[in-house]
């Protein structure tokens, strides 16, 4: 069961951390020469690291945390514990010699401890899943990160070389020159990954505080020789306190929100690109302009020129890669569009075939009863219907087989199609029954004449499958009127056809009608 969420601004630990950051900022800006901050920096850092370590380990034990989050925050706990030990050691150094340079800025053991803790944090960050699934996304991330790191390296190397390790002698000088830029670079890399990676192991507020911590600590460490050379040791000390306080606040915020079950707040949609590498390129050019304006051309200026060249080259490669990716995506899109067009064409073809099969007779290709009925319902009024039933078809079927009977039906269909006008509709209603719907209104006399001509056309001899056969046709005629239903018109034609068929049968049964094909 999660604890009830409490507003972060009412958390006493966060309030205390905010006051510590404000006090460190005010004292550093006052630039007291190290007397005020020097007396409080090390116990303050020990306390802050203790808060960060405790929060990190609590997050690791939180049942809501994922495996990646437990690994990340466990490493934060270990790294901040290492910082705590280093700060405690340095506090002892301060107590032994409060006036020495090592007491103010840290000695070799302190520098090694800070470096080890930072490596622990960065190693955990490196192990975090990047959250990019494709190779182009990974390439873009690497190029963007490299561009920002090139700017950071240019900035750090220039000020380290120009400022040297003023005021630091012996082993402390070596440690400062080796570990200072290294800590600065890994801190910058941590910040870059925090900003660029799409999936982050913390909520937005905690991420902001951690990014602030990485930025301030990286700048304080990278510019430490410059600050010492110009006598601004309190600035470096104040920046360190603020950075560690921000780290402690970030871990505390994450712990509180995960404890209340609110760690995974919805994240806004991400842009498909980052402005960070472009800002880094602008930064290298501004640095070059500033160096030339303040110090003129000197040997160290080549560092800034080289940084500009590397940053520009990386952005150029990034753009060329983006163009190649865009071209590849456009090619894939064209292929998908072509495939979709083929699929739609095939779908339309199949739909047309299915519609044809649904409304046409498979044997003759004529319209079937459903299509004829539809046209009759839509256009029956005022038109004429000729309903045809074949006479003498059953004996052909019985004598020569169904294949011959089907062939006879196909010939009759061809004759009907040739007889019909361009606007007429001819259909096979089923068996040996056909129908014709005139394309225009016909009088009774005109419809009767067409029926007689149609019957004569059908009764012409035909040869199918090697057999000479003939069939007759009983044609029923009905002429519709406006407003008459299609069913009524078809029924009228059916009655007329039946009467015609009975009449023809009676005619054939009389002595004078025997032997007649009709």
């Amino acid at each position: 069961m999660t604890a009830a969420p409490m507003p972060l601004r009412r958390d006493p630990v966060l309030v205390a951390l905010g006051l510590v950051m404000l006090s460190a900022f005010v004292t550093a800006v006052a630039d007291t020469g190290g007397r005020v901050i020097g007396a409080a920096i090390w116990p303050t850092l020990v306390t802050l690291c203790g808060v960060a370590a405790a929060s990190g380990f609590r997050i690791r034990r939180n049942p809501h945390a994922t495996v990646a989050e437990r690994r990340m925050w466990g490493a934060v706990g270990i790294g901040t514990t290492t910082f705590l030990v280093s700060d405690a050691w340095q506090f002892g150094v301060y107590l032994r010699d409060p006036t020495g340079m090592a007491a103010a800025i840290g000695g070799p053991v302190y520098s090694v401890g800070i470096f080890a803790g930072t490596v622990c944090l960065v190693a955990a960050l490196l192990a975090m899943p990047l959250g990019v699934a494709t190779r182009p996304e990974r390439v873009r991330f690497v190029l963007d990160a490299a561009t920002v790191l090139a700017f950071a390296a240019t900035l750090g190397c220039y000020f380290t070389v120009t400022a040297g390790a003023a005021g630091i002698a012996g082993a402390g000088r070596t440690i400062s020159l080796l570990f200072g830029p290294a800590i600065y670079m890994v801190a910058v890399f941590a910040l870059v990954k925090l900003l660029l990676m799409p999936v982050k192991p913390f909520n937005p507020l905690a991420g902001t505080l951690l990014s602030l911590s990485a930025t301030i600590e990286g700048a304080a460490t990278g510019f430490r020789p410059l600050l010492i050379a110009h006598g601004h040791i309190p600035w470096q000390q104040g920046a360190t306190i603020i950075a560690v306080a921000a780290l402690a606040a970030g871990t505390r915020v994450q712990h509180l929100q995960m404890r209340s079950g609110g760690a995974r707040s919805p994240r806004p949609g991400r842009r498909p690109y980052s402005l960070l590498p472009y800002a880094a390129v602008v930064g290298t050019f501004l640095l070059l302009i500033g160096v030339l304006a303040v110090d003129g051309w000197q040997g160290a200026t080549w560092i800034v020129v080289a940084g500009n060249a590397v940053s520009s080259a990386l952005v150029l490669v990034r753009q060329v890669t983006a163009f190649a990716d865009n071209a590849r995506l456009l090619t894939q899109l064209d292929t998908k569009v072509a495939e979709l067009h083929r699929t739609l064409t095939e779908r339309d073809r199949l739909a047309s075939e299915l519609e044809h099969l649904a409304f046409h007779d498979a044997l003759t290709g004529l319209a079937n009863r459903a299509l004829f009925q539809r046209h009759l319902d839509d256009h029956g009024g005022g038109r004429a219907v000729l309903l045809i039933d074949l006479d003498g078809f059953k004996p052909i079927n019985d004598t020569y087989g169904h294949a011959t009977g089907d062939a006879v039906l196909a010939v009759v269909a061809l004759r009907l199609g040739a007889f019909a006008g361009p606007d007429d509709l001819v259909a096979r209603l089923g068996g040996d029954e056909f129908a014709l719907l005139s394309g225009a209104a016909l009088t009774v006399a005109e419809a009767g004449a067409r029926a007689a001509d149609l019957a004569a056309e059908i009764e012409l001899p035909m040869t199918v499958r090697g057999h000479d056969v003939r069939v007759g046709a009983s044609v029923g005629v009905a002429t519709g009127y406006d407003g008459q239903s299609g069913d009524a018109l078809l029924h009228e034609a059916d009655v007329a056809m039946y009467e015609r068929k009975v009449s023809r049968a009676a005619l054939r049964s009389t002595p004078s009608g025997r032997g007649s094909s009709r």
Side-chain angles (χ1 to χ4, degrees):
M1 186 173 180
T2 58
M6 179 181 66
L8 296 178
R9 64 178 178 273
R10 294 173 55 188
D11 180 65
V13 176
L14 290 178
V15 171
L17 292 174
L19 292 175
V20 168
M21 286 189 279
L22 179 61
S23 300
F25 176 78
V26 171
T27 308
V29 170
D31 203 359
T32 60
R35 290 187 300 273
V36 176
I37 292 185
I41 179 173
W42 305 117
T44 300
L45 290 177
V46 168
T47 304
L48 294 175
C49 289
V51 172
S55 298
F57 287 126
R58 286 174 180 171
I59 295 172
R60 185 182 182 280
R61 294 193 300 268
N62 191 294
H64 299 293
T66 64
V67 174
E69 288 172 339
R70 291 192 183 109
R71 185 165 52 241
M72 168 69 186
W73 291 102
V76 169
I78 295 173
T80 50
T81 300
T82 305
F83 295 157
L84 186 153
V85 173
S86 300
D87 294 334
W89 174 274
Q90 189 58 37
F91 186 34
V93 172
Y94 173 80
L95 293 177
R96 287 194 298 271
D97 184 10
T99 60
M101 180 63 71
I105 63 174
V109 175
Y110 169 77
S111 298
V112 171
I114 296 300
F115 180 74
T118 304
V119 168
C120 181
L121 296 179
V122 174
L125 192 57
L126 286 173
M128 281 297 299
L130 194 56
V132 292
T134 63
R135 182 177 178 275
E137 289 177 327
R138 291 191 292 270
V139 170
R140 287 195 295 270
F141 173 83
V142 170
L143 291 173
D144 288 346
T147 303
V148 180
L149 290 175
F151 166 67
T154 302
L155 201 64
C157 289
Y158 176 79
F159 286 117
T160 298
V161 169
T162 54
I168 309 175
R173 176 185 178 87
T174 303
I175 293 296
S176 177
L177 291 176
L178 291 179
F179 287 167
I183 295 175
Y184 166 66
M185 287 302 296
V186 294
V188 170
F189 177 74
L191 175 62
V192 169
K193 186 169 183 181
L194 289 175
L195 294 177
L196 294 182
M197 64 189 297
V199 180
K200 301 175 176 62
F202 40 72
N203 63 67
L205 178 57
T208 301
L209 290 169
L210 294 176
S211 300
L212 177 66
S213 173
T215 302
I216 296 175
E217 180 60 29
T221 305
F223 299 135
R224 188 165 96 166
L226 181 65
L227 295 175
I228 294 173
H230 290 80
H232 297 304
I233 295 178
W235 291 9
Q236 195 270 336
Q237 293 173 329
T240 300
I241 292 176
I242 294 172
V244 179
L247 174 62
T251 57
R252 178 69 178 176
V253 167
Q254 183 73 14
H255 165 62
L256 292 177
Q257 293 196 349
M258 288 191 72
R259 187 177 65 180
S260 63
R264 293 172 180 82
S265 57
R267 293 184 175 90
R270 297 178 62 249
R271 289 195 303 263
Y273 60 90
S274 172
L275 298 177
L276 196 60
Y278 302 100
V281 173
V282 172
T284 56
F285 278 99
L286 292 178
L287 177 62
L288 179 60
I289 294 172
V291 166
L292 293 176
V294 175
D295 298 328
W297 188 272
Q298 53 182 320
T301 307
W302 284 107
I303 296 175
V304 185
V305 173
N308 273 272
V310 172
S311 298
S312 301
L314 288 170
V315 169
L316 179 62
V317 172
R318 171 71 166 83
Q319 294 305 110
V320 171
T321 303
F323 292 150
D325 289 341
N326 291 339
R328 177 180 55 81
L329 291 175
L330 288 175
T331 301
Q332 292 178 350
L333 180 60
D334 290 341
T335 302
K336 293 293 184 183
V337 169
E339 291 177 356
L340 179 60
H341 182 267
R342 288 194 297 269
T343 300
L344 293 176
T345 302
E346 181 66 13
R347 185 204 63 181
D348 293 342
R349 184 187 66 80
L350 291 175
S352 178
E353 289 183 1
L354 289 174
E355 183 179 14
H356 186 274
L357 290 174
F359 293 104
H360 290 79
D361 178 58
L363 175 63
T364 63
L366 298 178
N368 61 13
R369 180 179 289 274
L371 184 57
F372 186 82
Q373 187 67 49
R374 176 188 293 181
H375 279 260
L376 192 63
D377 293 338
D378 293 340
H379 311 292
R383 297 192 181 183
V385 171
L386 280 63
L387 193 61
I388 306 110
D389 189 82
L390 299 183
D391 298 328
F393 175 73
K394 188 175 183 301
I396 295 174
N397 234 2
D398 295 341
T399 302
Y400 302 114
H402 290 286
T404 301
D406 289 344
V408 170
L409 294 176
V411 172
V412 171
L414 289 174
R415 291 180 177 181
L416 286 171
F419 176 84
D423 297 326
D424 295 341
L425 176 67
V426 180
R428 181 190 177 199
L429 303 185
D432 60 349
E433 189 176 56
F434 296 84
L436 183 147
L437 177 65
S438 66
L442 299 177
T443 65
V444 174
E446 290 172 338
R450 291 201 68 183
D453 293 340
L454 178 58
E457 183 73 23
I458 293 174
E459 291 172 358
L460 292 174
M462 64 182 75
T463 300
V464 292
R465 298 178 66 86
H467 305 290
D468 294 328
V469 297
R470 292 180 66 182
V471 292
S474 296
V475 183
V477 178
T479 54
Y481 53 86
D482 291 340
Q484 185 181 18
S485 69
D487 288 338
L489 184 62
L490 184 61
H491 176 71
E492 186 179 333
D494 186 56
V495 171
M497 183 270 294
Y498 180 74
E499 291 175 350
R500 177 64 177 165
K501 198 171 189 68
V502 170
S503 174
R504 287 170 60 84
L507 181 62
R508 286 195 299 270
S509 66
T510 61
S512 60
R514 289 196 180 106
S516 171
S517 63
R518 299 171 186 262

